[in-house]
């Protein structure tokens, strides 16, 4: 949260005063562990912005948009999940408002995809796999930021899932793609929830947060990759045909 | 608002100080009427979370998702409307962030539906009827919270409509269902607006807020049920075929 | 921002204190130029609310909704873009919460369209053209408000694009229309980005903000109209058929 305040860093103490939750976060940030966490979480957050941006640009390529359309979808997808998370947590303003470099990052990803997507075998497969990696970095970032904000483990799990899934949700809803959350027999939300639950559990038993968040990301990618490559899945509801 | 602050209750006075609107709300909360209202509104709000969650889980069953998918849709639908309302009203953080029990509630509703939905005659009819009941508790909750925040009657009506309709909207947009707001010849938004308008009118002529909010809920369910069961409707625009 | 606070004007100073960005904005508002700007920006903002509301009502007519459905879509479309912008910028509460007249304005636009849409040759063409004009007033309004909030030029451009495009995006996603951002070979987001970039560039070289914002609007409408009437476009991605 410290690093995430950018230019309005000084306002952190003020926001820190605004709720018990915030003060809690500020205190941790002053501890050694908090500092380590403060250095890991933004790294994960920015990595997820970049990789989600690539998926957004690939969806723009499937919709045959122009370069600006690529930038629009890349930016929307890259910052969407973290924006919803920050709004819900009351982090004011949201993380990219004083981080112009993040929008330049998503724009750069869009330009890269615009000129190289035709080299790809299957853009859809790449979208799905890049989305899996973005999910694996965004979920721990969301859990970490939520815990810094002092919320309960259950809400931290929800924030990890929001951070991981909403960028892709916005991308798919606006881009007329089937939202990945609706893909039957795939572990997607489950991968996010699984990693987030393990993270809060490990932290609950005393594991240092940065280590727990790394475990979180590994579990998310393991579950998601296992589902994509090996067909891992949970039983789905099939009592009767849908749309009855 | 008082009860809605949960763990960050102490911060209520601070937020209370942030805008005239907030101070206004805080003052009312100190009056006898405010206290009664403060006990009714969260009750309505939580009831709507539970019932909307059931509809979200039923949409997940139509999409044949797994148990985690059910929890995802149940939670999104249960807290979606109130979340948008709180963001727009600037209630920081949104109502469920310090209320982990609400997410456990929506998760429980999802588990219940996952194991019992196959027993239902028509899941779609149940979605529509449960949504009607959720609408009838969410609209007065939204109107009550908006008035506590000191907004004008017109905006309070808008907040009632947002609280009542956005959870279902998010559910339907993400779940690839036709949004209920698009069902022709049905009273849906009209039921929400009608109940909300009557509530602010009754409060305007001096009726105690809790009583007016109960009237509001009864009018919403009466209009919606009359539309579903008896075909009540307003004339729709039919000057020419759509999509011309 | 000054005029935009309405009844909670007194709270502006408080919000002004909340972040360096806000203080910066408040300071500018006290300069002569800021005052002029403060009189132009809300004018643009309200004009865009009205024109976007007309497009929302026209979408409701294509969906053959009733009068309340028209009001719902008109309001959602009219205030949607500015609401997302205000949430992201942390302007609390969003611009219309203490401006009931704006909702009455969108409702009036809906009533007008409900009773006159049948007179139109093609409602779809009118939606597209009205949307173009709304875009041309909303983008400079968003850029102006973002600069008042003290964000960087890159983020100001993003805010102009959000303000200009999100109302229509929400309208199209909920109303089951193809989002304009997905129309291939049309300048839409490009028109918004182009106008916003020119505005921040002109301000960067010292042009008075109100003049630069007027240029911004002229460039947006010129690019959009040139695309609609003369087929102006940027090369789109066509390496291979979509959905492969």
């Amino acid at each position: 949260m410290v690093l995430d305040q950018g230019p309005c860093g000084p306002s952190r103490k003020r926001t820190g005063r605004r709720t018990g939750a915030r003060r809690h976060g500020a205190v941790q940030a002053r501890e050694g562990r908090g500092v380590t966490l403060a250095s890991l979480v933004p790294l994960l957050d920015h990595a997820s912005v970049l990789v989600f941006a690539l998926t957004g640009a690939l969806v723009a390529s499937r919709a045959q948009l122009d370069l600006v359309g690529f930038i629009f979808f890349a930016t929307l997808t890259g910052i969407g999940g973290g924006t919803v998370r920050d709004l819900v947590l009351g982090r004011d303003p949201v993380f990219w408002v004083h981080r112009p470099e993040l929008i330049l990052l998503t724009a750069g990803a869009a330009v890269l995809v615009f000129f190289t997507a035709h080299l790809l075998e299957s853009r859809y497969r790449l979208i799905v796999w890049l989305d899996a990696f973005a999910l694996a970095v965004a979920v721990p970032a969301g859990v970490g930021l939520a815990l810094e904000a002092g919320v309960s483990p259950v809400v931290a799990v929800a924030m990890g899932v929001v951070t991981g899934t909403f960028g892709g949700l916005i991308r798919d809803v606006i881009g007329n793609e089937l939202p990945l959350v609706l893909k039957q027999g795939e572990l997607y939300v489950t991968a996010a929830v699984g990693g987030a639950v393990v993270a809060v559990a490990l932290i609950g038993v005393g594991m240092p947060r940065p280590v727990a968040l790394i475990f979180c990301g590994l579990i998310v990618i393991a579950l998601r990759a296992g589902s994509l490559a090996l067909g891992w899945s949970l039983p789905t509801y099939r009592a009767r045909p849908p749309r009855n």
Side-chain angles (χ1 to χ4, degrees), chain A:
Chain A
M1 189 158 176
V2 182
L3 297 191
D4 256 59
Q5 287 296 337
C8 64
S11 78
R12 179 176 53 78
K13 287 196 213 57
R14 272 190 294 284
T15 42
R17 252 189 257 103
R18 266 163 65 202
T19 68
R22 288 273 176 36
R23 191 184 306 107
H24 180 189
V27 170
Q28 286 169 334
R30 270 180 234 104
E31 297 160 4
R33 175 178 305 173
V35 175
T36 320
L37 190 61
S39 61
L40 174 68
V41 169
L43 183 76
L44 294 171
D45 217 22
H46 296 177
S48 74
V49 167
L50 173 61
V51 185
F52 270 129
L54 293 170
T55 68
L58 286 164
V59 165
S61 79
R62 283 159 60 84
Q64 298 190 301
L65 301 182
D66 58 29
L67 181 57
V68 180
F70 274 58
I71 294 172
F72 180 78
F73 268 91
T75 305
L76 207 64
T77 310
I79 66 182
T83 300
V84 174
R85 172 203 64 211
D86 286 357
L87 290 176
V88 169
L89 282 178
R91 303 180 69 223
D92 177 14
V94 299
F95 72 104
W96 54 273
V97 163
H98 294 296
R99 292 278 184 80
E101 69 272 17
L102 286 175
I103 291 177
L104 298 176
L105 184 73
T106 58
V111 173
L112 175 73
V113 171
F114 186 78
F115 291 108
T116 61
H118 64 281
L119 305 173
L120 301 169
E121 250 320 300
S122 162
R123 281 170 286 156
Y124 187 72
R125 294 298 295 167
L126 188 63
I127 289 171
V128 169
W129 278 96
L130 285 174
D131 188 276
F133 284 103
L135 189 70
V137 285
V139 171
V143 171
L145 285 167
L147 291 174
E148 283 179 5
V151 303
S152 63
V154 171
V155 174
V157 169
M159 287 301 161
V161 174
V162 164
T163 309
T165 60
F166 271 54
L169 253 182
I170 295 167
R171 172 197 68 209
D172 294 341
V173 165
I174 296 177
N176 273 338
E177 301 267 352
L178 179 75
L180 288 171
V181 294
L182 289 183
K183 294 291 255 9
Q184 293 154 18
E186 269 189 26
L187 300 182
Y188 183 72
V189 181
T190 305
V193 172
V197 167
V198 168
V200 296
L202 291 175
I203 291 165
V205 297
M207 180 181 284
R209 282 184 184 186
V211 186
L213 293 180
I214 288 162
F215 267 102
C216 169
L218 294 175
I219 287 157
V220 172
I221 192 64
L223 289 173
R224 183 72 181 130
S227 176
L228 290 172
L230 311 174
W232 294 356
S233 71
L234 287 180
T236 60
Y237 180 88
R238 291 199 193 285
R240 54 175 64 190
R243 301 281 178 280
N244 64 312

